[in-house]
Amino acid sequence: MQSFVAVVETGSFVAAGQRLGLSNKLVSKRLAQLEQDIGMTLLHRTTRSMSLTHEGTRYLEGARRVLAEFEQLENEFDAADGLKGVIRIAAPTTYGETTVARAASRFTEEHPNVTVELALSDRYEDLAKGGFDVAIRIGHLSGSSLIVRKLGETRMKVVAAPAYLKAHGTPEHPADLGDHICIRDTNSTDPNRWSFCIEGQTIQVPVSGPFLANSPSACLAPVRAGMGIFTCPDIFLADDLSTGRLVELFPNTHAESLPIQSIHLPSAFRKTRVKAFVDVMQREMRG
């Protein structure tokens, strides 16, 4: 039943196997056995595609309900005997290497019988196909059927090194950035335009420069070397600003705020260990 639901949700036997920790051949064998046991074909399968049969659509609804009840039963034993099992977490690279990794480490200390697999990537991973229980994401999300929990937020700050400002001058207004060298993060919606809210009006400032990267950490390297100006989530700037290595520009200008959120598949959210990790993650952020 788990194999059937995983194949439907991920769209392939290979992805279902990755999600369940099984070979795709074993997933196929289990599905065939299920169809034989209940005497119905659940999936139409060809070499290029597969689709639910009428019976498969009906069975899927019931299977999800049964598996949800089974997970609830597991959760009751988890509560009594302590958490166990595996939790797979997806997170953005720079934030994952810092805050999420610390939270995962603290979580394993508190729950030593749970194995944590942390996968770092600045791409938005498909939770079902990747077999992830939870993802930590920064930024606004489009509507989906996933369960979203806001953990906090981060504000964008524009920063530069004193050496850059000494060599090129200090911009007095965001509109002046067009005359400066800007380091750009390609993870942003539009790396060539930075957003600012001034007197209640949102303005888009065109920016350019010779260095782009898909990681705030990578972008900060040339910024610290005095090579340009950068707009960066403040969660990555505490040490740089406190030591004076970087200087914040336009501190009185309202910059964009981005939510930090956990994302779960509906079924994953029922796992006590997933909820427990998200709680630890939130504590780590507050700390």
Side-chain angles (χ1 to χ4, degrees):
M1 195 178 293
Q2 287 178 321
S3 295
F4 168 61
V5 173
V7 168
V8 173
E9 291 184 347
T10 63
S12 77
F13 287 93
V14 172
Q18 292 173 343
R19 177 172 171 178
L20 298 172
L22 305 171
S23 70
N24 60 312
K25 289 184 179 180
L26 185 53
V27 172
S28 179
K29 182 178 180 181
R30 286 184 171 181
L31 180 55
Q33 184 65 54
L34 174 64
E35 290 177 321
Q36 181 179 334
D37 289 345
I38 63 177
M40 291 186 295
T41 299
L42 301 176
L43 285 174
H44 291 304
R45 300 187 279 280
T46 68
T47 55
R48 293 189 176 182
S49 66
M50 61 183 169
S51 60
L52 284 166
T53 64
H54 175 70
E55 293 80 6
T57 300
R58 292 176 53 205
Y59 192 84
L60 178 64
E61 180 181 351
R64 283 173 165 159
R65 183 170 60 251
V66 170
L67 291 174
E69 292 176 358
F70 178 71
E71 287 183 353
Q72 181 60 40
L73 180 62
E74 281 191 319
N75 290 342
E76 292 175 7
F77 280 93
D78 281 346
D81 302 331
L83 301 183
K84 54 186 177 295
V86 178
I87 178 172
R88 300 196 70 231
I89 305 162
T93 303
T94 301
Y95 196 56
E97 291 173 340
T98 52
T99 304
V100 182
R102 288 196 299 269
S105 177
R106 186 182 302 274
F107 179 81
T108 56
E109 288 180 351
E110 296 180 7
H111 306 286
N113 293 323
V114 178
T115 299
V116 174
E117 295 182 16
L118 180 59
L120 305 181
S121 172
D122 288 319
R123 298 178 301 170
Y124 273 13
E125 299 286 356
D126 185 307
L127 270 65
K129 290 185 178 180
F132 293 106
D133 297 297
V134 60
I136 305 299
R137 292 180 179 167
I138 300 173
H140 301 287
L141 303 170
S142 57
S144 73
S145 60
L146 300 177
I147 295 174
V148 180
R149 175 176 166 184
K150 184 176 179 180
L151 306 177
E153 63 180 22
T154 180
R155 189 172 73 86
M156 301 299 290
K157 290 186 177 181
V158 181
V159 294
Y164 175 88
L165 300 177
K166 182 177 180 180
H168 300 273
T170 302
E172 301 296 330
H173 188 275
D176 299 335
L177 291 172
D179 299 324
H180 284 266
I181 302 169
C182 293
I183 310 298
R184 291 166 289 162
D185 184 350
T186 57
N187 285 318
S188 61
T189 304
D190 185 353
N192 301 317
R193 291 180 181 274
W194 293 353
S195 297
F196 298 90
C197 184
I198 300 175
E199 297 181 354
Q201 298 292 320
T202 300
I203 65 169
Q204 301 285 331
V205 179
V207 295
S208 62
F211 188 93
L212 299 90
N214 67 339
S215 161
S217 179
C219 289
L220 281 169
V223 176
R224 291 168 180 145
M227 295 173 58
I229 297 173
F230 184 44
T231 181
C232 181
D234 60 7
I235 51 176
F236 304 125
L237 295 173
D239 290 343
D240 289 298
L241 294 176
S242 64
T243 60
R245 184 161 54 181
L246 296 179
V247 176
E248 181 182 1
L249 306 178
F250 326 126
N252 298 320
T253 299
H254 178 69
E256 181 182 16
S257 292
L258 300 175
I260 303 172
Q261 301 167 107
S262 65
I263 315 296
H264 324 258
L265 289 167
S267 59
F269 187 68
R270 286 188 288 267
K271 296 178 182 176
T272 305
R273 56 186 176 272
V274 174
K275 184 178 184 302
F277 171 76
V278 175
D279 290 342
V280 172
M281 179 71 198
Q282 193 159 48
R283 293 206 313 266
E284 182 65 32
M285 291 176 60
R286 289 172 179 166

